[in-house]
Amino acid sequence: MPATDPPFSGYGLGLRKDHYRDFLETTVPVDFVEVISENFMIDGGRPTDTLRRVRERHPVALHGVSMSIGSADGLDPAYLARLKALVDAVEPLFVSDHLSWSRHGSFNSHDLLPLPCTPEALDIVCTNIGHAQDILQRPMLIENPSSYIAFDGSVMTEWAFIDAMCARTGCYLLLDVNNIFVSAANHGFDPLAYLAGIPADRVRQVHLAGHSRGADMLIDTHDQPVPPSVWALYAQAIERIGPVATMIERDDAIPPLNELLTELAIARSIGAAAHRQAA
């Protein structure tokens, strides 16, 4: 299923191993789940069986961490082939990855490294997105990054880069509200200017997460509940974007499922209030 218009607007959770039993043996009140694509890009075995059984109960979004959409030497054909096989098997709501790079030749950093906001980087990203979309035969969702350094050579804002990227490739956005908050604090820009600068009609999914405070910057750790500051920014984001799929993303210090469902209930409440106000 490709990204839809009008967009799918349910509320979901990232599926993590700690909660497999909950999702397989109980009724979990979510509208969709998101899985890390690379964890399931294999032939057979328990992960494949788990995903198949979860997919029987819930719509699934695929979220990648290793496509390296900003790589100057292009995308890995073997990676794309494995991802295409997973897409064909799952028929996901969305296929997403990050606006970053992580691979050079045979070296993979396993980190989501930032890109300079330059015309040259934009050309590379757009070429790679076009290639991926041709192989996957569907539009991708690209997630805005969190970052800790800025490039002297950047000549445009990140939101201007994203706006141009969407216009040139037809891709959609996975808007990570926590990432905007973290990067805004680290680089000193106004998060509301970021929200105003992105193409709101291209957002198809929102991530909500927590972060940690380092010595002199915020760190995107995904190991904390969504803090009040990010909830407040989400309220302003969803008021501008309108109804889209929203999920809680926790990657470390995984709590009991009920704690995440409580956070998801807050997201539902904020989303419902924004939609009542817009009606």
Side-chain angles (χ1 to χ4, degrees):
M1 182 188 301
T4 58
D5 197 8
F8 175 86
S9 57
Y11 292 84
L13 295 176
L15 180 67
R16 301 295 180 260
K17 188 177 295 184
D18 303 59
H19 303 141
Y20 280 0
R21 183 181 295 273
D22 296 292
F23 276 92
L24 293 175
E25 298 181 0
T26 70
T27 299
V28 180
V30 297
D31 300 313
F32 74 103
V33 299
E34 182 190 87
V35 303
I36 303 299
S37 304
E38 288 80 1
N39 291 344
F40 300 94
M41 288 165 56
I42 55 178
D43 296 325
R46 180 171 293 183
T48 299
D49 181 63
T50 299
L51 181 56
R52 179 188 61 77
R53 294 165 63 194
V54 169
R55 179 65 182 87
E56 290 175 351
R57 292 166 171 249
H58 302 282
V60 170
L62 299 179
H63 184 51
V65 295
S66 298
M67 183 175 285
S68 193
I69 206 75
S71 284
D73 53 357
L75 303 181
D76 179 355
Y79 176 95
L80 287 176
R82 295 198 306 275
L83 179 59
K84 178 63 165 61
L86 181 64
V87 168
D88 290 345
V90 172
E91 297 183 350
L93 282 172
F94 313 116
V95 182
S96 62
D97 210 295
H98 299 80
L99 181 59
S100 64
W101 69 281
S102 56
R103 181 177 52 80
H104 178 67
S106 60
F107 172 76
N108 191 337
S109 75
H110 300 290
D111 287 313
L112 301 170
L113 302 172
L115 294 164
C117 292
T118 63
E120 293 80 8
L122 182 61
D123 287 344
I124 290 168
V125 166
C126 289
T127 297
N128 288 342
I129 291 175
H131 184 196
Q133 292 184 151
D134 286 344
I135 297 296
L136 300 175
Q137 298 181 306
R138 61 171 56 219
M140 287 194 64
L141 276 60
I142 303 297
E143 179 179 344
N144 57 295
S146 57
S147 61
Y148 312 102
I149 62 169
F151 292 89
D152 288 340
S154 290
V155 296
M156 65 183 89
T157 61
E158 187 173 290
W159 50 94
F161 188 100
I162 287 173
D163 185 50
M165 175 188 77
C166 291
R168 286 175 54 173
T169 67
C171 75
Y172 291 97
L173 293 178
L174 193 173
L175 187 68
D176 190 310
V177 176
N178 180 61
N179 286 357
I180 295 176
F181 187 87
V182 167
S183 292
N186 290 343
H187 301 305
F189 64 74
D190 181 355
L192 298 184
Y194 198 113
L195 287 179
I198 60 167
D201 63 340
R202 305 305 294 178
V203 178
R204 286 295 180 272
Q205 188 182 352
V206 167
H207 273 178
L208 292 166
H211 54 262
S212 298
R213 183 169 294 281
D216 53 5
M217 64 177 60
L218 298 184
I219 310 298
D220 182 27
T221 50
H222 289 193
D223 61 353
Q224 303 287 328
V226 179
S229 52
V230 174
W231 283 127
L233 188 58
Y234 171 64
Q236 298 187 68
I238 205 67
E239 186 174 325
R240 175 164 188 257
I241 295 164
V244 296
T246 296
M247 60 158 276
I248 306 296
E249 185 183 40
R250 187 74 67 85
D251 294 319
D252 203 358
I254 305 294
L257 184 61
N258 281 342
E259 292 186 22
L260 296 178
L261 290 173
T262 298
E263 286 191 84
L264 198 60
I266 297 173
R268 289 181 190 272
S269 176
I270 292 172
H275 303 156
R276 282 196 301 271
Q277 186 171 343

